[in-house]
Amino acid sequence: MDRQDKRCLVAVVVTHNRLSQLRITLGRLLDSDPAHLHAILVVDNASSDDTATWLVDQADPRLHVYRSEANLGGAGGFETGMRQAVERFDPDWILVMDDDARPEPGALAVFHAGERSKAEAWAAAVYYPDGRICDMNRPSINPFWHGDVMRRTLLGGGRDGFHLSQPHYAAEDLCDVDGASFVGLFVSRAGVARIGYPDGSLFLYGDDVLYTLGLRQAGGRILFDPAIRFEHDFSTISDGDRRFRPLWKSYYHYRNLLMVYRLCSGWLFPLVLPAAAAKWLLKVRFHSGERRVFLGYVLRALRDGVLHRKHAPHAQVLTWGKRGRARLTQLRRLGFRGDSDW
């Protein structure tokens, strides 16, 4: 039997100051059959709420905690968590998720019921709590690697041209994908052996897509199984006004997305860069009241993404936003009465 077809499964959950969500997620995981889930490793990213105290009080022997002294971001948390899972438990499969995401009842049983040696990683179908497909967690097919996908994208498909859509979720068939999110991603030890661990220096966003694209580029296979269902109670970007909350997350999103585009497009990246920059800069219109701050984050993201800079301390990223807001306050005190964003 191949290593990736064995079924010792360990879940890695990364959390930071979202105890209310973590309680739901751990409750869902601990409700699973021990035969389906050997252990749960929570990476507590230096939470300053009651998370640490609450975790200490939990008695389930399957629950284990790694407490980081500093906030490593989601990327750092997943890298740390996967490394710790391998060192502590030597699992055959690692299941990764955010603290606001969890398997739907029966999802782990579905995973174990299937023949999983066909791929080194499996992506679940992720939905909002109200049943809609969670857009940010839709697996993707790199159009630069697949001519038919590129044609479909250029001929009006847009984002739907290279992301899986409703027919894929409704089908019973498995689907090969190139990119997937760290919500309901099952990674085999064969996959870890091939590609290693996520890049924790990215801090937040894009680490999952870069990791899965890297796995595919290295010759690994990733399959989407619509029968494995996950729930994601996601709220960073409001569907109504298209704003990042909090705003500093926009820096990591655009910087790391530029690195994703570089990996996807290869030698065509110089053609992709201007289009991406224009699209993101135009999003300033959605950030009334903080347009100057948003623009500062996007410009820094473009600079650092192009130069492949990944090591700006998180405290510095927060400072950029504070400085931008301080400048706005100074302008208003001087009597500036135009658009309050500028």
Side-chain angles (χ1 to χ4, degrees), residues 73-321:
F78 283 119
E79 179 185 1
T80 299
M82 289 178 67
R83 288 183 184 275
Q84 287 286 317
V86 170
E87 291 174 8
R88 294 189 188 192
F89 309 109
D90 190 29
D92 300 295
W93 289 87
I94 302 171
L95 168 61
V96 290
M97 70 199 77
D98 292 320
D99 53 9
D100 60 355
R102 66 279 306 191
E104 291 192 1
L108 300 189
V110 171
F111 173 78
H112 284 281
E115 201 282 300
R116 301 300 172 185
S117 65
K118 299 176 183 178
E120 291 172 342
W122 291 81
V126 185
Y127 297 86
Y128 288 113
D130 63 8
R132 292 175 298 135
I133 294 172
C134 190
D135 185 69
M136 73 163 294
N137 299 125
R138 286 195 291 163
S140 60
I141 302 170
N142 182 7
F144 294 94
W145 295 348
H146 306 273
D148 57 332
V149 177
M150 176 63 80
R151 287 190 293 272
R152 183 169 67 239
T153 301
L154 294 177
L155 292 175
R159 182 175 169 81
D160 286 335
F162 60 96
H163 281 83
L164 301 191
S165 56
Q166 177 61 44
H168 298 97
Y169 283 69
E172 296 182 359
D173 297 333
L174 308 176
C175 179
D176 280 280
V177 297
D178 299 319
S181 74
F182 281 167
V183 171
L185 183 70
F186 298 76
V187 183
S188 70
R189 287 294 294 282
V192 172
R194 185 185 293 272
I195 193 62
Y197 297 96
D199 183 355
S201 67
L202 294 167
F203 192 78
L204 194 69
Y205 298 138
D207 52 313
D208 45 8
V209 180
L210 286 167
Y211 185 74
T212 48
L213 283 170
L215 177 59
R216 286 286 294 115
Q217 193 176 52
R221 189 184 190 190
I222 306 170
L223 283 170
F224 169 72
D225 187 344
I228 306 173
R229 295 174 58 103
F230 263 64
E231 171 189 293
H232 194 185
D233 193 3
F234 178 72
S235 59
T236 292
I237 302 176
S238 167
D239 287 338
D241 57 18
R242 305 179 190 181
R243 297 164 75 111
F244 281 87
R245 303 186 187 281
L247 190 59
W248 56 261
K249 290 186 176 182
S250 62
Y251 166 74
Y252 293 109
H253 174 76
Y254 294 125
R255 183 198 68 179
N256 297 350
L257 191 54
L258 209 57
M259 297 178 190
V260 170
Y261 287 172
R262 187 196 301 271
L263 178 60
C264 286
S265 60
W267 64 273
L268 290 172
F269 179 69
L271 300 178
V272 174
L273 175 59
K279 178 181 178 181
W280 299 340
L281 290 169
L282 287 173
K283 290 182 182 293
V284 70
R285 67 190 187 276
F286 299 126
H287 290 79
S288 177
E290 51 188 1
R291 288 175 179 158
R292 184 187 183 99
V293 181
F294 174 77
L295 187 61
Y297 275 131
V298 175
L299 292 173
R300 288 185 174 93
L302 289 168
R303 177 199 65 193
D304 293 347
V306 168
L307 297 176
H308 210 68
R309 293 178 178 173
K310 301 180 291 183
H311 300 289
H314 182 55
Q316 184 180 45
V317 175
L318 297 178
T319 298
W320 293 336

